[in-house]
Amino acid sequence: MKKKLRETFSSVSSRYGSYSLGAIALVVAIVIVVNLIAGQLPETVRSVDLSDNKIYEITDVSRKLIRDLEQPVSITVLAEKDQVDKRIRNFVERYAGLSSEISLEWIDPVQHPSALSKYDAQADSLVVSCEETGKQQVVSFGEIITYDQMSYYTTGSMQETAFDGEGQLTAAVNHVTSSESKKVYYSTGHGEAEFSSSVQDLMGKANYTLEACNLLMDPDIPEDCELFIMNGASTDVTEDEQKGILEYLQQGGKVMILLGEVEKSTPNLDAIFKEYGLERKTGYIVDIQRSYQQNPYYIFPELSLGENLAKGMSSEMVLLINSQGFTQTDPARDGITLDAFMNTSADGYVVTEDGEEQGSYVLGAVATESISSDSISSDSVSEDQKEDAETEDDEEGPESRLTVLGAGSMIDADVTDTFSTLENLTLFMNAVGANFGEDTNISIAPKSLEVTYNTVQYPGLFSLLVIFGIPVIVLGFGFVTWMRRRKA
């Protein structure tokens, strides 16, 4: 028996089998060791974003914010880890792994119910906090994965619409590490359009505080105003309001005006524009060359963006509907500099009831002016503007900034929600941030979770190729192959 066993294991086949078994065992051992090592790596290294809409992708804006963190930030997840939506769990771990300044802790509120009282938060939420500033912000899971609740009444279930993990976390980190928020006032009393929920959300993410201001009641812009916005006014301002806005600008203030659809003349608003080098044209602008589906009132302007306005812009596709336009003229003072960043093509027209006039028209522009510190009145300037003036040299004061956009439709929900691939909101938020000297727009829009389909814009020739061309080619190849084999 021993002789037989010796002969069996000494044969060539048994030796080869032993070698194979040993090689398999070695490979299995290597795989186990590699998996153990990989399991210890951070989420940012061991995971690859294969999601349809790149929901795990973290933009350069967030990476820069995280890289520049000077205070430790804590992210506490109040939920049972294994029960959390995998997308939220993976993203939070991936986000926290980008910096050693960010710590991540999971607390099960069922086992530790006192944690909810400690953080003053509900279960299934994130608490982002900074010990040095003493600030915290709570982000619920419902703010990260949003749903279309109206779909429940038509389909019987709520459909997921967007994933906002990066936007919510980056906004929270920015909020808890910032010393204070920016105060933005928006005008009322002239038929202005309300900011859409998307705009309000982006403003909140950027740490801007919005407050209404009616200049009809008091023509003086509030002292703590850091940016004044008129969004789509449909009537003119009064002479007192015009005076208040100009005085605010001449003291180093920042103003943004988005024109609405007006039926009557607006001489007082026009006077503000003209002082800063813009002459408004009566009527609406059309562009034969750069229009959406041959509708000349739907314009894709030619963009000429500086570095601060171009941040995050990839396609540079912005749509304006029923826009008004301007031509450039000499400003009231030599120190005013005008930069037109949105224009029509040479095939632009201004259309009125009496006819049309061809030309290239300005659809968006920024006028800036360095204000001498000697010209700043102590009665009509805010404490922030005084401090800005004191930090400059003796002759240079703060810089006033007037931003004019030809159409309030640029940020209208009917446009931004319908054409979700456009960059209207990105450009708008860049323009808002530029008033504060911010070179980065910290507001990050949610990523859509809706199913995307591959569509062909002009299917005529493509359809002919798919329906007839490819089958003919396959049949021809098959026939040639059959003939060759038949002759052989």
Side-chain angles (χ1 to χ4, degrees):
M1 178 66 71
K2 290 182 180 180
K3 185 178 179 182
K4 260 187 177 180
L5 287 172
R6 195 181 301 111
E7 289 176 353
T8 300
F9 285 102
S10 62
S11 65
V12 175
S13 60
S14 65
R15 286 201 300 272
Y16 284 151
S18 300
Y19 294 151
S20 299
L21 184 61
I24 292 172
L26 179 62
V27 170
V28 171
I30 291 173
V31 170
I32 293 174
V33 172
V34 169
N35 275 278
L36 289 173
I37 295 174
Q40 302 304 313
L41 295 174
E43 183 70 23
T44 53
V45 176
R46 70 174 186 262
S47 63
V48 179
D49 187 1
L50 300 177
S51 59
D52 183 36
N53 295 306
K54 298 296 181 183
I55 62 174
Y56 302 122
E57 182 180 356
I58 299 176
T59 62
D60 292 339
V61 172
S62 297
R63 291 179 182 275
K64 183 179 184 302
L65 175 70
I66 295 170
R67 185 173 61 248
D68 295 341
L69 282 177
E70 297 179 353
Q71 310 104 318
V73 173
S74 300
I75 299 177
T76 305
V77 187
L78 301 174
E80 186 179 349
K81 186 173 182 179
D82 294 338
Q83 300 301 318
V84 176
D85 188 293
K86 185 178 180 181
R87 293 166 295 182
I88 296 177
R89 185 172 69 244
N90 289 346
F91 184 84
V92 170
E93 292 180 346
R94 188 182 185 91
Y95 193 94
L98 290 176
S99 173
S100 59
E101 295 287 353
I102 300 178
S103 61
L104 177 62
E105 182 182 11
W106 295 82
I107 298 179
D108 185 348
V110 176
Q111 296 182 3
H112 306 280
S114 60
L116 300 180
S117 300
K118 175 183 176 182
Y119 292 103
D120 190 22
Q122 300 292 324
D124 295 333
S125 61
L126 308 171
V127 181
V128 181
S129 58
C130 178
E131 186 175 354
E132 289 190 18
T133 62
K135 298 169 70 174
Q136 79 167 34
Q137 183 160 325
V138 179
V139 179
S140 69
F141 291 175
E143 294 175 291
I144 296 177
I145 298 179
T146 59
Y147 293 83
D148 177 12
Q149 298 186 10
M150 294 301 297
S151 64
Y152 177 81
Y153 299 99
T154 56
T155 64
S157 62
M158 292 189 296
Q159 297 179 355
E160 296 176 348
T161 56
F163 183 87
D164 197 19
E166 182 184 7
Q168 293 293 338
L169 274 176
T170 296
V173 170
N174 180 53
H175 172 74
V176 301
T177 56
S178 299
S179 57
E180 58 184 16
S181 64
K182 308 290 194 306
K183 196 64 174 286
V184 177
Y185 281 86
Y186 60 92
S187 67
T188 61
H190 306 88
E192 290 91 341
E194 293 185 2
F195 287 126
S196 67
S197 59
S198 297
V199 172
Q200 293 182 48
D201 181 50
L202 291 173
M203 288 281 199
K205 287 179 178 178
N207 213 19
Y208 302 149
T209 301
L210 288 171
E211 188 169 333
C213 175
N214 192 325
L215 296 183
L216 286 170
M217 297 181 181
D218 185 353
D220 294 329
I221 295 176
E223 288 188 0
D224 62 343
C225 177
E226 297 177 77
L227 173 63
F228 182 75
I229 301 178
M230 294 192 70
N231 180 32
S234 57
T235 60
D236 197 11
V237 297
T238 65
E239 291 184 2
D240 287 339
E241 290 176 295
Q242 173 201 1
K243 180 182 177 182
I245 293 172
L246 287 175
E247 286 182 352
Y248 175 70
L249 282 167
Q250 290 163 12
Q251 300 296 334
K254 312 292 190 292
V255 175
M256 288 186 70
I257 300 177
L258 291 79
L259 294 180
E261 297 185 22
V262 294
E263 296 181 0
K264 298 181 180 180
S265 61
T266 56
N268 295 322
L269 268 178
D270 293 348
I272 297 174
F273 303 143
K274 195 164 186 179
E275 181 157 338
Y276 285 85
L278 290 170
E279 184 171 352
R280 190 178 72 88
K281 305 298 291 184
T282 302
Y284 290 106
I285 303 298
V286 302
D287 195 329
I288 306 301
Q289 182 179 335
R290 297 181 60 84
S291 60
Y292 172 74
Q293 294 187 352
Q294 288 75 54
N295 186 337
Y297 289 94
Y298 285 55
I299 302 173
F300 292 106
E302 293 181 348
L303 302 183
S304 178
L305 305 178
E307 185 177 358
N308 58 347
L309 294 182
K311 292 290 185 180
M313 302 281 290
S314 55
S315 67
E316 294 196 354
M317 294 300 291
V318 173
L319 179 64
L320 302 182
I321 299 177
N322 294 339
S323 178
Q324 298 179 58
F326 305 85
T327 55
Q328 294 190 40
T329 185
D330 293 331
R333 295 174 293 280
D334 293 337
I336 296 175
T337 302
L338 183 69
D339 178 25
F341 62 87
M342 286 199 301
N343 300 274
T344 67
S345 69
D347 287 329
Y349 291 83
V350 57
V351 178
T352 63
E353 294 180 355
D354 299 327
E356 56 189 37
E357 180 182 348
Q358 185 177 5
S360 179
Y361 297 97
V362 176
L363 303 177
V366 174
T368 57
E369 181 181 16
S370 293
I371 307 299
S372 170
S373 57
D374 295 334
S375 66
I376 298 179
S377 168
S378 60
D379 297 331
S380 58
V381 67
S382 70
E383 291 298 326
D384 290 336
Q385 290 170 326
K386 291 177 185 177
E387 291 176 5
D388 290 342
E390 291 171 0
T391 57
E392 302 288 343
D393 59 51
D394 294 335
E395 296 183 359
E396 290 293 328
E399 180 183 73
S400 67
R401 187 180 183 93
L402 172 64
T403 305
V404 181
L405 301 172
S409 62
M410 176 177 171
I411 59 172
D412 189 273
D414 291 339
V415 176
T416 58
D417 293 349
T418 303
F419 304 94
S420 58
T421 58
L422 296 176
E423 296 182 315
N424 288 29
L425 293 179
T426 302
L427 179 57
F428 173 74
M429 290 305 300
N430 286 348
V432 171
N435 288 281
F436 303 107
E438 298 172 355
D439 60 357
T440 302
N441 172 19
I442 207 71
S443 301
I444 299 169
K447 297 180 174 69
S448 174
L449 289 177
E450 296 180 0
V451 178
T452 55
Y453 300 94
N454 291 325
T455 57
V456 180
Q457 188 172 8
Y458 303 104
L461 292 175
F462 184 80
S463 298
L464 291 175
L465 176 63
V466 172
I467 297 172
F468 299 106
I470 294 178
V472 168
I473 293 172
V474 172
L475 287 173
F477 179 77
F479 180 76
V480 171
T481 303
W482 174 76
M483 287 294 294
R484 286 178 178 176
R485 291 180 178 178
R486 186 167 180 268
K487 290 180 180 179

